[in-house]
């Protein structure tokens, strides 16, 4: 007789009232605000690509690769088994799978290779989707993308390396660039004594022999934070006799020998665990000057300008995935006799999260659109410099609270590691710290306004495009303009000014591009103050059904 399994007879083994796994879905198809933004800003030609990428990312296999890449942290190999110094980083195969996928779809290259309008919008959409499944690979992909304009300050290096930076193949081997068809870029700027104050850097650079890449330099110093140390080359800062300068540091010298690039340790970070971040030492390390000697900050700022765009979209992507997870759970879980999604208080919370997601998405893609417009329009370039700082600050200030609220929608099921929510929660503070923490960004906003007063007028003009359509927005904008006339204590008011610019910017975009229930709810709560101190405190008169239907078409 067959043996009957006692486990099947246990009365508690029956599983009921639990959601299915959220998998085998299309991230792009589910995201109405994203699809509309892509079309609005001239990147509709990328919709087929985004459809394919969204489908690939939503596969159960891809989701599992994202999980495994984070459960198995990168490991530093300082020496090989014979005692030779190699300074390499080992990654789990799932990390390589996600890197290959990102490069295959051109996350790092599309903006620079397409002849169509909306290249940066398409890039932003790709990485916004990718980061929802695995955020760690976004770091090297972003830096490879962002290095392009900075590298163009050295025509010889650009000619030699740009074709490999823009290749959509992935080659993780630590070998000379000359032996590879593609390459990735990292960045090493901050030092122990300075952090964001890079002008206090003490790393030194002295001229050495000429090479086929151009005049060589030797660098000596320590970098407190080097992102993606497995990259093929890095942009870095060091002092010369003329001041702080920007250099390209390759892992291998032009003659094919290993460069003196010493990884001291990998950072043990709160989140972003699939991505290696490190401390490194330069000891007569070969480098090539990029840009004008003594003007390192102005050279590398082009890279920072583009990494800040990605720090902004990453926040929006994390919020979007948190909303998607919360909606899926509440659509399949009952309490007190009906689905959570139909419980009035839960609907209030979800609608409030959806408003945050809508506002972030609207702002991120208008900023990406400004990057595209900057190519032929100096006013757009000026506005982009201010708008990306405002967006980066505010989007990233909202993420931890929003993700925590979305996690709470799951109850205890959202707090366990089998759920993606803990990973999203650990990722939430990341982009608010990288590429300038909150105070640094707000001070940059003040400096930008002081240096280029026209940028503030351009942003206010942008906001005024929605004049006369929502009384809360009109009233708030008038009050803010009066506040700006007060020039006292500007530095201590920098966060307040940046926050109000962000909210007005978001509100204006929602008024212009979303249905009235969405923008009225946002303006009434965020601008008029008809709101509590936490999410889920919208006025009961808000049309929650209209907001939630945009957030998830199945509703």
């Amino acid at each position: 007789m067959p043996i009957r399994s006692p486990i099947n007879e246990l009365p508690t083994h029956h599983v009921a009232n639990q959601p299915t796994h959220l998998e085998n879905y299309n991230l792009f198809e589910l995201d109405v605000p994203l699809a509309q933004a892509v079309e609005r800003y001239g990147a509709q030609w990328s919709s087929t690509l985004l459809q394919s990428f969204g489908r690939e990312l939503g596969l159960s296999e891809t989701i599992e690769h994202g999980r495994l890449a984070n459960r198995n942290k990168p490991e530093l190999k300082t020496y090989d088994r014979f005692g030779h110094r190699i300074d390499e980083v080992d990654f789990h195969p799932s990390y390589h799978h996600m890197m290959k996928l990102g490069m295959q779809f051109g996350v790092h290259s599309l903006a620079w290779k397409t002849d169509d309008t909306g290249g940066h919008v398409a890039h932003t959409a790709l990485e916004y989707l990718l980061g929802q499944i695995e955020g760690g690979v976004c770091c090297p992909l972003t830096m490879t993308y962002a290095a392009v304009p900075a590298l163009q300050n050295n025509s010889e290096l650009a000619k030699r390396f740009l074709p490999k930076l823009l290749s959509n193949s992935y080659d993780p081997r630590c070998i000379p660039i000359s032996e590879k068809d593609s390459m990735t870029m990292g960045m090493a700027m901050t030092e122990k004594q300075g952090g964001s104050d890079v002008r206090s850097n003490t790393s030194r650079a002295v001229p050495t022999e000429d090479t086929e890449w151009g005049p060589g330099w030797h660098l000596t110093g320590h970098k407190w934070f080097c992102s993606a140390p497995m990259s093929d080359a890095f942009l870095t800062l060091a002092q010369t006799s003329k001041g702080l300068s920007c250099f390209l540091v390759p892992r291998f010298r032009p003659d094919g020998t290993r460069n003196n690039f010493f990884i001291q340790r990998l950072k043990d970070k709160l989140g972003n665990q699939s991505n290696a971040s490190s401390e490194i030492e330069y000891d007569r390390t070969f480098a090539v000057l990029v840009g004008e000697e003594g003007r390192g900050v102005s050279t590398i700022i082009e890279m920072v300008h583009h990494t800040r765009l990605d720090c902004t979209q990453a926040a929006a992507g994390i919020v979007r995935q948190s909303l998607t997870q919360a909606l899926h759970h509440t659509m399949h879980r009952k309490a007190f006799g009906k689905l959570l999604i139909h419980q009035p208080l839960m609907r209030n919370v979800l609608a409030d999260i959806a408003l945050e997601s809508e506002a972030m998405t609207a702002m991120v893609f208008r900023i990406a659109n400004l990057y595209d417009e900057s190519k032929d329009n100096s006013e757009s370039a000026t506005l982009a410099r201010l708008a990306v700082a405002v967006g980066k600050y505010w989007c990233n200030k909202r993420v931890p609270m929003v993700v925590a609220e979305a996690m709470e929608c799951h109850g205890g099921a959202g707090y366990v590691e089998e759920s993606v929510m803990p990973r999203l929660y650990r990722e939430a503070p990341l982009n608010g710290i990288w590429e300038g923490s909150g105070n640094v960004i707000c001070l940059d906003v003040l400096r930008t306004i002081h240096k280029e007063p026209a940028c503030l007028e351009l942003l206010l003009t942008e906001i005024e495009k929605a004049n006369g359509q929502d009384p809360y927005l009109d009233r708030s904008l008038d009050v803010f303009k009066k506040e700006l006339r007060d020039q006292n204590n500007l530095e201590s008011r920098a966060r307040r000014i940046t926050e109000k610019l962000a909210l007005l910017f978001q509100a204006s975009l929602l008024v212009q591009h979303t249905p009235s229930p969405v923008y009225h709810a946002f303006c009434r709560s965020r601008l008029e103050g008809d709101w509590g101190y936490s999410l889920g405190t919208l006025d009961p008169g808000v049309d929650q059904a209209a907001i939630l239907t945009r957030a998830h078409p199945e509703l």
Side-chain angles (χ1 to χ4, degrees), residues 457-471:
E457 291 304 315
L458 288 169
L459 184 51
L460 293 175
T461 300
E462 176 82 11
I463 294 167
E464 288 168 352
K465 290 179 180 179
N467 272 357
Q469 298 181 59
D470 184 275

Side-chain angles (χ1 to χ4, degrees), residues 49-159:
L49 181 70
L50 292 168
Q51 284 274 2
S52 297
F53 198 40
R55 186 182 308 111
E56 187 75 25
L57 289 169
L59 293 174
S60 58
E61 294 88 346
T62 309
I63 293 170
E64 178 66 1
H65 280 302
R67 187 188 72 84
L68 289 173
N70 282 272
R71 293 291 283 181
N72 298 274
K73 297 181 182 181
E75 296 182 358
L76 174 61
K77 291 177 61 178
T78 310
Y79 299 92
D80 69 10
R81 66 192 183 102
F82 298 111
H84 301 115
R85 186 90 191 227
I86 57 173
D87 295 278
E88 295 182 11
V89 183
D90 267 354
F91 292 87
H92 188 270
S94 287
Y95 174 89
H96 292 302
H97 177 90
M98 297 304 297
M99 275 294 294
K100 181 179 180 181
L101 185 63
M103 295 190 75
Q104 173 189 335
F105 277 87
V107 172
H108 64 301
S109 61
L110 183 62
W112 310 115
K113 292 168 72 172
T114 183
D115 294 325
D116 293 303
T117 59
H120 290 287
V121 169
H123 154 79
T124 300
L126 285 168
E127 195 157 353
Y128 165 98
L129 293 171
L130 176 60
Q132 294 184 44
I133 302 302
E134 208 302 277
V137 296
C138 292
C139 177
L141 291 173
T142 282
M143 289 188 295
T144 302
Y145 153 77
V148 171
L151 206 59
Q152 289 171 336
N153 286 282
N154 183 315
S155 58
E156 175 58 35
L157 292 180
K159 179 181 176 182

Side-chain angles (χ1 to χ4, degrees), residues 76 78-79 85 87 192 221-223 226 229 261-267 277-282:
L76 174 61
T78 310
Y79 299 92
R85 186 90 191 227
D87 295 278
K192 286 177 287 190
H222 178 101
K223 292 296 176 180
C226 171
F261 185 91
F262 303 121
I263 304 175
Q264 302 298 68
R265 63 170 175 167
L266 299 185
K267 300 284 193 179
S277 303
S278 65
E279 293 175 42
I280 60 169
E281 290 280 354
Y282 296 143

